[in-house]
Structure formats: structure tokens, C-alpha cells
């Protein structure tokens, strides 16, 4: 059988460990030439280490695949653009971008530092923009290409202590949809994946209460290799009609996530005042209010 990514050049950011590593390995097995990007930072974004990316490249080569390591940061525009440049300089083109790189700096909102908020936004949201923007010119010229951006139920649904991460991840949804709308005329696709998997970043989740310990124990059963097939599919030509969507992947489950649409409306002839909104408007809408759920409240059953 033909491999699904034969002849394609794929960039995977944050590919030295966890989900990114598994995506890079599977993309290579499916025939892609892979740019394995990872500066080797710690979970909070500190430090650098070339070993993770180099080890993934070595593993790909041992399996008969083709890959090159890249150590640039996605958090600044010029270094991020060099990731795409290396792909084109090395392999002559770029066909897919997986925006997976990320860091965590969790804190309850009133205690979150400005630096913690800004750094997470820079890596996740700005990083996704910088790499995508650099690749978009090549996608437009060749009239083909696929983006896969990583979002999270922390943004799609909600979670404690992650205002920076949630804001970035929900921003990525808007970025992906805009790319899909703007670039569909050039046969360029852009989709989001929200992963459930035990990774180094998830390992930073607090385990102070019995509920938190039980949640982490469930997450530890979900390997990052379960996420990679959906991403490889979205990069492939088999997904040519899949664009602007949000998926979640958990063990053997794939979910199509909702996107914001009107739930209920109310109108009043002559317009509204503060008093009539309080007396009529809000009571009419209140039945459709969302509860203050967290991701764990919505995905409350064990993974299949």
C-alpha cells in the first residue's frame, strides 16, 4: 500500500518529546521528510538542549526515514521563519506544518505574573502564527498545503489555573479558522486537534487532592502515540475535504468539537434598557447558560 505522506515535507514543532515526537515518527513512517523542531526547553520554557530533536532524527533514520533536526524557537518571528527556510533549503518545498510546540506556566489568575502570561502566549499563539505565516507564502505559490494546530479543552471548555494557556489555545482556534477561510482558494487546509495524552507538560498538573490524583492516573494511561494517526491523516491528501474543523483525540476516540453558534435569542420592540434586560432578557436566556465546567467535568467518563 502507498504511504499516506509519500513525497511530502512536514515540519513538526516541539517534536523532541511527547506528542510531537510521535507525530514526527509516524509522519516519517508514512513517507514524509520531516523537520524535527525542538530547542529542548524545559516544560516551563527554560534552558536549551539539542539532544531531544537529534534523538528523534536518529530514530527516524534508523527506521529508514528522512529527517533533519532544527533547534530554533517558535516564540520569535525570525527564528520561527528559519524553521520553514530550513525545510525548503533542505528538501525543496514544504507541504505540512504541525504547530505542536508549547510550554506551561500555570497559576491561579490573581497570582499569575505578566511574564507567565506573555511567555505562554508567545510560544503557543504567536509561535503558531509565526511558523504558519512563514509557510503560507510557499503554500500559496504551490497551491497546496496543510496546517494542523494544537488547541486544548482548557480553552475550548475551561480549567483552573490556566488563563494564559486557555487564552492561547482558544486564540489558536480563531487563527486556524481564519487561515482556513483565507487560504482555501489556494487548496490550503487548516484544522485543530485537542489532544488527551500523558506528556511532560501534563505532568505539571497539580496532584494535591484525591480528585486530581485520580484524574492524572487516568491521563497516564493515554499514550501520545494515540494522537499521531489523526494528525498524519489531516496532513495527507485523504483529508483534502477537511478544513476549518476542531477535533479532539483521546485514546481510541475521535471527537468533532463544536464551534460557537447562537443558542437562543430574545428581542423586545423598541429596544432594551438595563431594567428590561434584568426583568425579561436575562431570564429568557438563562436556561441556555453554560455551567462553569472544566474539561474533566465534560469528559467525565474513562477513555475507551
Amino acid at each position: 500500500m502507498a504511504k499516506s505522506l509519500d513525497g511530502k515535507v512536514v515540519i513538526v514543532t516541539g517534536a523532541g518529546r511527547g506528542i510531537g515526537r510521535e507525530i514526527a515518527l509516524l509522519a516519517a513512517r508514512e513517507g514524509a521528510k520531516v523537520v524535527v523542531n525542538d530547542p529542548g526547553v524545559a516544560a516551563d520554557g527554560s534552558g536549551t538542549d539539542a539532544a531531544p530533536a537529534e534523538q528523534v532524527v536518529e530514530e527516524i533514520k534508523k527506521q529508514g526515514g528522512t529527517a533533519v533536526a532544527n533547534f530554533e524557537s517558535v516564540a520569535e518571528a525570525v527564528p520561527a521563519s528559519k524553521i520553514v527556510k530550513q525545510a525548503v533549503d533542505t528538501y525543496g518545498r514544504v507541504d505540512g506544518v504541525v504547530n505542536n510546540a508549547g510550554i506551561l506556566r500555570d497559576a491561579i489568575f490573581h497570582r499569575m505574573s505578566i511574564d507567565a502570561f506573555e511567555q505562554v502566549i508567545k510560544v503557543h499563539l504567536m509561535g503558531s502564527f509565526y511558523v504558519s505565516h512563514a509557510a503560507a507564502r510557499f503554500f500559496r505559490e504551490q497551491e497546496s498545503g496543510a496546517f494542523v494546530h494544537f488547541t486544548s479543552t482548557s480553552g475550548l471548555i475551561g480549567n483552573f489555573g490556566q488563563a494564559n494557556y486557555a487564552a492561547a489555545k482558544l486564540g489558536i482556534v480563531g487563527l486556524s479558522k481564519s487561515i482556513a477561510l483565507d487560504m482555501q482558494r489556494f487548496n490550503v487546509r487548516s484544522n485543530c486537534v485537542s489532544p488527551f495524552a500523558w506528556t511532560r507538560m501534563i505532568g505539571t498538573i497539580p496532584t494535591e487532592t484525591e480528585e486530581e490524583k485520580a484524574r492524572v492516573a487516568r491521563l497516564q494511561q493515554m499514550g501520545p502515540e494515540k494522537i499521531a494517526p489523526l494528525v498524519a491523516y489531516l496532513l495527507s491528501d485523504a483529508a483534502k475535504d477537511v478544513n476549518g474543523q476542531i477535533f479532539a483525540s483521546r485514546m481510541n476516540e475521535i471527537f468533532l468539537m463544536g464551534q460557537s453558534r447562537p443558542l437562543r435569542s430574545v428581542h423586545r420592540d423598541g429596544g432594551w434598557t438595563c431594567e428590561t434586560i434584568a426583568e425579561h432578557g436575562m431570564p429568557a436566556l438563562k436556561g441556555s447558560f453554560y455551567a462553569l465546567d472544566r474539561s474533566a467535568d465534560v469528559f467525565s467518563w474513562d477513555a475507551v
Side-chain angles (χ1 to χ4, degrees):
M1 291 180 63
K3 295 180 178 179
S4 66
L5 297 177
D6 263 344
K8 294 190 182 297
V9 177
V10 172
I11 294 168
V12 185
T13 69
R17 303 180 179 93
I19 294 170
R21 174 182 179 275
E22 297 298 332
I23 293 167
L25 292 172
L26 180 58
R29 290 197 297 271
E30 289 292 334
K33 299 177 178 67
V34 184
V35 177
V36 178
N37 162 260
D38 202 311
V41 300
D44 65 357
S46 61
T48 58
D49 183 1
E54 290 175 340
Q55 289 167 1
V56 174
V57 169
E58 187 62 26
E59 189 169 349
I60 287 172
K61 289 180 177 179
K62 284 181 179 178
Q63 295 175 357
T66 303
V68 63
N70 177 281
F71 312 107
E72 300 289 354
S73 169
V74 302
E76 302 291 340
V78 172
S81 71
K82 291 179 180 178
I83 304 169
V84 178
K85 184 177 186 300
Q86 182 174 357
V88 175
D89 288 350
T90 305
Y91 299 122
R93 59 185 292 118
V94 59
D95 299 285
V97 170
V98 181
N99 284 310
N100 167 74
I103 63 171
L104 282 179
R105 292 192 181 177
D106 294 353
I108 199 76
F109 183 68
H110 64 279
R111 294 178 180 169
M112 182 172 287
S113 69
I114 292 172
D115 181 67
F117 190 89
E118 290 180 343
Q119 290 304 314
V120 169
I121 293 290
K122 285 181 71 175
V123 173
H124 288 274
L125 180 56
M126 298 307 296
S128 295
F129 168 76
Y130 291 143
V131 180
S132 298
H133 192 253
R137 175 170 62 87
F138 296 100
F139 285 178
R140 187 214 179 283
E141 289 173 356
Q142 68 199 27
E143 296 194 347
S144 66
F147 294 104
V148 180
H149 314 273
F150 272 72
T151 184
S152 171
T153 54
S154 291
L156 298 170
I157 298 172
N159 210 354
F160 291 141
Q162 292 192 313
N164 47 7
Y165 185 67
K169 288 305 192 182
L170 201 52
I172 286 169
V173 170
L175 173 67
S176 178
K177 190 62 174 284
S178 293
I179 293 171
L181 288 166
D182 287 350
M183 300 200 71
Q184 62 180 330
R185 72 193 74 176
F186 307 118
N187 300 312
V188 175
R189 308 186 310 279
S190 181
N191 293 286
C192 285
V193 172
S194 177
F196 290 78
W198 180 256
T199 65
R200 184 177 56 135
M201 282 178 57
I202 297 297
T204 67
I205 291 176
T207 53
E208 296 175 2
T209 68
E210 290 303 315
E211 181 184 358
E212 288 171 341
K213 290 177 183 177
R215 180 191 175 204
V216 167
R218 290 194 299 271
L219 285 170
Q220 286 175 325
Q221 299 175 26
M222 294 183 266
E225 72 280 357
K226 293 289 189 177
I227 310 301
L230 175 59
V231 177
Y233 162 77
L234 291 172
L235 293 170
S236 75
D237 293 339
K240 65 183 189 308
D241 297 324
V242 182
N243 197 15
Q245 304 306 308
I246 307 166
F247 300 96
S249 179
R250 191 178 76 150
M251 285 284 280
N252 301 316
E253 303 162 310
I254 295 175
F255 304 90
L256 177 65
M257 301 297 287
Q259 300 186 35
S260 292
R261 299 291 185 272
L263 292 175
R264 180 177 290 192
S265 67
V266 59
H267 77 276
R268 189 180 183 94
D269 290 345
W272 296 92
T273 66
C274 291
E275 289 77 13
T276 57
I277 291 172
E279 293 168 1
H280 173 205
M282 280 305 126
L285 297 175
K286 202 168 187 177
S288 294
F289 278 13
Y290 282 101
L292 284 176
D293 291 325
R294 293 184 299 154
S295 176
D297 299 320
V298 174
F299 288 91
S300 57
W301 67 98
D302 289 342
V304 176

